[in-house]
């Protein structure tokens, strides 16, 4: 058990736990080297030996308290039979959505496709570098997966605005939730000690649809993770009602994005909080970066707080700044 779990469970800890979303990724030259030899991103995610190496790369350089598995939320559409590829300078491209095929696909077929992810978790969790550290597994929240599956690409490109008027959403959502439970269970059984739920596109949804697409489905998955005796972190990026979200969904930890005012959150929310710092601040010079980081450390001084960013590490980040920031947080008293 690592200090993330200690923090979440209010046990004594002697420093602030820290890890970063996308801590394994393109800002690291050793990742780029592996990536250049493995142009197919999906195959890379499904190669346990190499994805283990990538998962552990940031822990070899920095004093992070947790690893997050090198995988992707879009392996779920892939496992449901929707084509998936990642194109350079474009991002994910999903194939046509064949609802009938998706609804008929069996657990066995799904698990067969995801088996390499569980193998990755199994071999990574046994590595001595993770002794006393957490291994974070993850899923995409149902809403965010629905967006990718129906839109077939990142909504950053263009968004099909009829997405939530699609009459088949109900069945698709049910299948997504069912499959996510399978995926959570297998990640936990393979050695994931915490699960994070990424709702990267929560901020796109009109508020009147929150119950249907965000609150109810996410709460169901949160309850499911808790039933396995594992802590769950939720990251509903871009919403402006974090308190209501926590009251309804009840995650163990809420991960905040960089648009949220930390002082307001510290006042409003009494569950453990994670993250917040704008990843762009890691592009500043060292002194300015640390001033920004200190604001979060000071604001959450009397709170259960896991240091993280308000979204993933940017590819243009200098690893030296990551090192300086992590050491600063670990030394903060
Ligand atoms: O955080 C980590 O270090 C763990 C690994 C991880 C990846 N994807 C690897 C990855 C995690 C947790 C994810 C989750 C994920 N994937 C999300 C939720 C978090 C978020 O960023 O909002 C989403 C929306 C996706 C879908 C996805 N995967 C997109 C839109 C892209 C392309 C965007 C980009 O950054 O190029 C990916 C590709 C991806 N997933 C990369 C990595 C390291 C970049 C791959 C590369 O080109 O080298």
């Amino acid at each position: 058990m690592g200090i993330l779990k200690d923090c979440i469970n209010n046990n004594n800890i002697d420093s602030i736990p820290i890890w970063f979303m996308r801590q394994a990724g393109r800002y690291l030259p050793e990742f780029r080297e592996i990536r250049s030899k493995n142009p197919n991103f999906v195959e890379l995610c499904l190669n346990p030996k190499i994805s283990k190496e990538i998962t552990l790369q940031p822990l070899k350089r920095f004093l992070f308290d947790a690893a997050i598995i090198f995988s992707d939320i879009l392996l779920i559409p892939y496992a449901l039979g929707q084509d998936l590829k990642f194109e350079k300078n474009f991002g994910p491209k999903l194939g046509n959505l064949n609802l009938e095929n998706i609804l008929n696909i069996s657990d066995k077929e799904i698990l067969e496709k995801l088996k390499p992810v569980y193998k990755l978790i199994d071999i990574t969790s046994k590595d001595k570098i993770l002794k006393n550290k957490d291994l974070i597994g993850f899923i995409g929240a149902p809403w965010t997966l629905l967006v990718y599956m129906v839109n077939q690409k990142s909504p950053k490109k263009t968004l099909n605005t009829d997405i939530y008027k699609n009459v088949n959403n109900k069945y698709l959502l049910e299948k997504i939730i069912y499959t996510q439970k399978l995926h959570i269970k297998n990640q936990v059984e393979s050695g994931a000690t915490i699960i994070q739920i990424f709702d990267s596109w929560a901020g796109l949804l009109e508020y009147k649809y929150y119950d249907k697409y965000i609150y109810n489905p996410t709460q169901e998955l949160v309850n499911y993770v808790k039933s396995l005796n594992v802590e769950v972190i939720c990251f509903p990026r871009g919403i402006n009602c974090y308190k209501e979200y926590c009251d309804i969904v009840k995650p163990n930890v809420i991960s905040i994005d960089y648009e949220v005012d930390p002082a307001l959150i510290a006042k409003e929310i009494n569950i453990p909080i994670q993250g917040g710092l704008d990843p762009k601040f890691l592009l500043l010079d060292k002194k300015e970066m640390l001033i920004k980081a200190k604001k979060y450390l000071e604001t959450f001084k009397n709170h259960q707080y896991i240091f993280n960013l308000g979204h993933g590490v940017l590819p243009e980040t200098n690893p030296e700044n990551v090192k300086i920031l992590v050491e600063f947080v670990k030394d903060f008293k």
Side-chain angles (χ1 to χ4, degrees), residues 22-23 26 31 35 41 68 71-72 86 148 200 311:
R22 285 281 164 91
Q23 63 188 21
R26 283 171 296 184
F31 172 80
R35 186 74 173 93
F41 185 76
I68 178 160
S71 184
D72 203 275
F86 286 82
Y148 278 106
S200 306
H311 200 191

Side-chain angles (χ1 to χ4, degrees), residues 240-295:
N240 50 27
C241 47
Y242 273 88
K243 175 162 171 32
E244 182 184 82
Y245 182 98
C246 290
D247 289 345
I248 295 174
V249 177
K250 297 191 176 66
N252 296 105
V253 180
I254 184 78
S255 199
I256 57 174
D257 68 70
Y258 52 82
E259 305 213 319
V260 173
D261 173 11
L264 179 69
I265 287 284
K267 218 165 48 201
E268 275 188 351
I269 290 182
N270 54 18
I271 65 168
I273 292 168
Q274 168 178 281
L277 185 73
D278 192 332
K280 285 199 271 315
F281 294 155
L282 275 75
L283 309 179
L284 299 172
D285 73 51
K286 170 186 158 183
K287 209 170 140 216
E288 287 175 90
M289 170 181 77
L290 295 181
I291 291 171
K292 303 287 191 188
K294 202 165 172 208
K295 180 173 145 196

Side-chain angles (χ1 to χ4, degrees), residues 31-260:
F31 172 80
R32 290 198 301 270
E33 197 189 323
I34 292 182
R35 186 74 173 93
S36 69
K37 293 185 201 132
N38 295 272
N40 185 324
F41 185 76
V42 177
E43 273 176 22
L44 183 58
C45 289
L46 297 173
N47 180 325
K49 197 164 160 269
I50 310 183
S51 51
K52 174 188 170 193
E53 191 183 334
I54 298 173
T55 299
L56 296 178
Q57 279 176 345
L59 278 89
K60 291 184 177 150
R61 273 185 182 249
F62 313 116
L63 299 168
F64 284 130
D65 294 305
I68 178 160
I69 58 162
F70 182 76
S71 184
D72 203 275
I73 61 168
L74 300 179
L75 291 184
I76 292 302
Y78 162 82
L80 289 171
Q82 192 173 16
D83 275 348
L84 170 67
K85 53 183 190 235
F86 286 82
E87 271 177 18
K88 218 178 162 154
N89 304 321
F90 184 83
K93 243 188 193 170
L94 290 92
N96 286 336
L97 186 70
N98 183 329
L99 188 71
E100 203 181 308
N101 283 357
I102 288 179
L103 297 183
N104 285 323
I105 195 161
S106 69
D107 293 7
K108 193 163 165 266
E109 286 171 282
I110 294 170
L111 293 175
E112 190 57 36
K113 284 192 155 165
L114 295 175
K115 220 160 63 182
V117 179
Y118 311 131
K119 173 87 180 165
L120 153 72
I121 297 176
D122 177 52
I123 59 177
T124 307
S125 64
K126 290 176 178 144
D127 195 290
K128 59 182 183 320
I129 198 170
L130 283 182
K131 192 167 174 273
N132 298 324
K133 300 201 181 209
D134 287 294
L135 180 59
I136 302 171
F138 65 84
I139 57 159
W143 163 248
T144 286
L145 280 190
L146 188 80
V147 167
Y148 278 106
M149 291 177 80
V150 177
N151 201 49
Q152 296 177 246
K153 58 181 175 306
S154 169
K156 233 188 326 200
K157 300 285 169 192
T158 46
L159 176 66
N160 173 355
T161 47
D162 286 339
I163 232 162
Y164 34 83
K165 300 190 181 108
N166 181 350
V167 289
N168 291 322
N169 279 352
K170 181 177 179 300
Y171 306 103
L172 190 52
L173 257 189
E174 278 169 9
K175 184 74 179 192
I176 290 172
I177 294 169
Y178 178 84
T179 309
Q180 299 288 39
K181 286 186 185 168
L182 267 184
H183 193 38
I184 291 168
K185 179 168 183 280
N186 281 275
Q187 291 189 64
V188 168
E189 284 175 355
S190 308
T193 60
I194 295 178
I195 296 289
Q196 175 148 328
I197 302 181
F198 286 92
D199 210 346
S200 306
W201 297 109
L204 281 182
L205 188 65
E206 278 180 61
Y207 182 70
K208 63 178 175 187
Y209 295 113
Y210 271 32
D211 278 338
K212 184 171 172 191
Y213 289 114
I214 297 185
Y215 291 154
N216 295 339
T218 314
Q219 188 189 27
E220 188 174 339
L221 292 176
V222 162
N223 287 342
Y224 185 72
V225 180
K226 288 181 177 172
S227 76
L228 303 175
N229 287 318
V230 163
E231 289 79 359
V232 54
I233 306 173
C234 283
F235 179 46
R237 184 168 74 93
I239 66 167
N240 50 27
C241 47
Y242 273 88
K243 175 162 171 32
E244 182 184 82
Y245 182 98
C246 290
D247 289 345
I248 295 174
V249 177
K250 297 191 176 66
N252 296 105
V253 180
I254 184 78
S255 199
I256 57 174
D257 68 70
Y258 52 82
E259 305 213 319
V260 173

